[in-house]
Amino acid sequence: MASPQLIFVDGTFGELAQEMADYIQIGDQVKPLLEKEQNEEALQAIVKASHYLNSVPEKEFTAAYNLLIHLVLQAKEPKKHLPTVCSNLLKPITSSPAHGFTLASGALSTIFNLLAVDNPLRYNVFMQIVRFLRQHGQFELLKPRLKNLDLWFEEWDTDEEDQRKLYVEVSDAAGESGDEEESYYYLLKAIGTFDRDDQEEITSEEAQRLSLKAVRIAISSPNRFDFQDLRALPSVQALSDSHPVYSQLLDIFTEQDLEDYNDFREEHEGWIEKEKLDHEKLQRKMRLLTFASLAASTPNREIPYANVAKALQIKPEEVELWTIDVIRAGLIEGRLSQSKQVFLVHRTTYRVFGEKQWRELGTRIDTYKTVVDKLTGVVRKAQADVEAQREREQQEIERKLANVGMGGPDRRRGPQKPRTEDDD
């Protein structure tokens, strides 16, 4: 967004209103209203005719809009006039096709920043800013501001319904710009505003529509492999009644494998094509997910090429290419052993973590414990052997020293002389 302009104005409301009225060529209409001190009526007439500003010379645009914004914010009820002003800024700036975006975005930012931080009107203005940037395909300019949304909602005391409207608008803007991750994130934020304890609310038409949209995005995205956060939402769970086939498909992508997906296609023949889903993309994604599940369920961390080919329903010579793809997707880590024709798993991602996964984890912990116990036993035996050897060596040294002291010659004194009579 363009930097907001500071506003410097001098004069009474009546003087400034008359100046603006003259500028947009309705001076004669407004003058008698101001003379009767009917300021609100005068301002209403000015705002109604303010679309004229979109055609003023480029060099006068910012100053003219700043004056209009100042007048509107002096009104008793600015919320009556701001929608019209913002709406005009979303329309083409005919006097400056080249710089119209910058001029209009600067005016919208000025309105937003001149309102008090806790003024609920900021919500309405920000909604118009989102629509403006969406209209011009400039979502990247909006992203830095989105980190403040949750704080702003608190400051503005925004209810869940209005939060949802803004989240949906942001999601749509992100989606249209090609930012799939941001679009999906804010769509889930929108779905999360439904009261999970209100059955009527989570089964409402809007809740089901947004939930269905989220499911379609999630299963179709080539980069999304975790569906736990989505499936945990009550409104998404309610799809099992309103859209049971989509709910079944989500379950398959969450925790089942390629064979289940193929069975689903046979059971609902033509449904994927009818719903305009891309079978090739879905099948590829299911192969990657199936590979991840295979890796997670293999206790010895070695997967023969033949097992991979069977699970993914591919030719043996394609195993290495699919292994590279699943590693690139971040689902597993490991390396190929061409000599052994196995894939060695270093790390894997569990698609779900339920009772089955806890049992698998328990089995692996028991296996690791057995290995550690064996290693500990080997180490302790080695330590005992070292201690025993050291003790034997020490005993041997002591034995030799004892032998020397008891009967051996005293080598330190040297040979003794024969005794003579002089010794007496």
Side-chain angles (χ1 to χ4, degrees), residues 35 48 78 100 114 134 164 166 170 179-180 184 198 209 289 296 343 381 404 420 422:
E35 289 176 346
K48 185 177 180 180
L114 287 177
R134 176 185 176 185
R164 181 162 58 251
L166 188 50
V170 171
D179 194 330
E180 183 183 279
Y184 183 75
D198 188 335
R209 176 176 56 80
L289 291 169
F343 175 68
K381 184 178 183 303
V404 170
T420 66
D422 295 337

Side-chain angles (χ1 to χ4, degrees), residues 269-409:
E269 186 176 358
W271 181 86
I272 287 178
E273 292 74 15
K274 178 184 175 183
E275 292 297 313
K276 297 182 179 179
L277 296 171
D278 191 325
H279 163 64
E280 296 299 326
K281 289 182 178 179
L282 298 184
Q283 186 181 56
R284 180 183 186 280
K285 188 169 182 175
M286 277 306 308
R287 282 196 167 111
L288 297 176
L289 291 169
T290 300
F291 201 147
S293 294
L294 180 63
S297 61
T298 302
N300 63 359
R301 295 305 206 182
E302 288 190 2
I303 312 176
Y305 281 16
N307 292 9
V308 176
K310 181 179 178 181
L312 272 59
Q313 301 177 17
I314 56 175
K315 298 176 181 178
E317 56 267 28
E318 296 177 330
V319 169
E320 294 185 3
L321 293 176
W322 279 97
T323 302
I324 293 171
D325 286 345
V326 78
I327 291 175
R328 284 176 176 172
L331 291 171
I332 59 176
E333 292 178 5
R335 64 184 180 86
L336 292 163
S337 174
Q338 292 180 329
S339 59
K340 294 183 178 181
Q341 290 286 288
V342 298
F343 175 68
L344 305 173
V345 182
H346 295 166
R347 183 195 65 82
T348 185
T349 301
Y350 279 102
R351 293 165 62 191
V352 293
F353 210 91
E355 182 180 349
K356 178 182 177 182
Q357 286 70 37
W358 280 113
R359 287 198 301 268
E360 290 177 357
L361 180 60
T363 300
R364 289 187 178 180
I365 290 176
D366 289 340
T367 302
Y368 294 151
K369 184 176 182 298
T370 301
V371 172
V372 170
D373 288 345
K374 288 181 179 179
L375 289 174
T376 302
V378 171
V379 170
R380 286 176 178 171
K381 184 178 183 303
Q383 288 177 332
D385 291 345
V386 169
E387 289 295 329
Q389 179 65 24
R390 185 180 298 161
E391 187 174 347
R392 287 193 297 271
E393 291 175 353
Q394 182 66 29
Q395 290 174 351
E396 180 66 18
I397 291 172
E398 291 176 356
R399 185 183 64 77
K400 290 180 178 179
L401 290 175
N403 289 338
V404 170
M406 292 178 62

Side-chain angles (χ1 to χ4, degrees), residues 154-166:
E154 290 183 16
E155 292 175 337
W156 305 336
D157 194 23
T158 309
D159 62 30
E160 286 76 10
E161 183 178 355
D162 282 338
Q163 289 182 34
R164 181 162 58 251
K165 289 178 181 178
L166 188 50

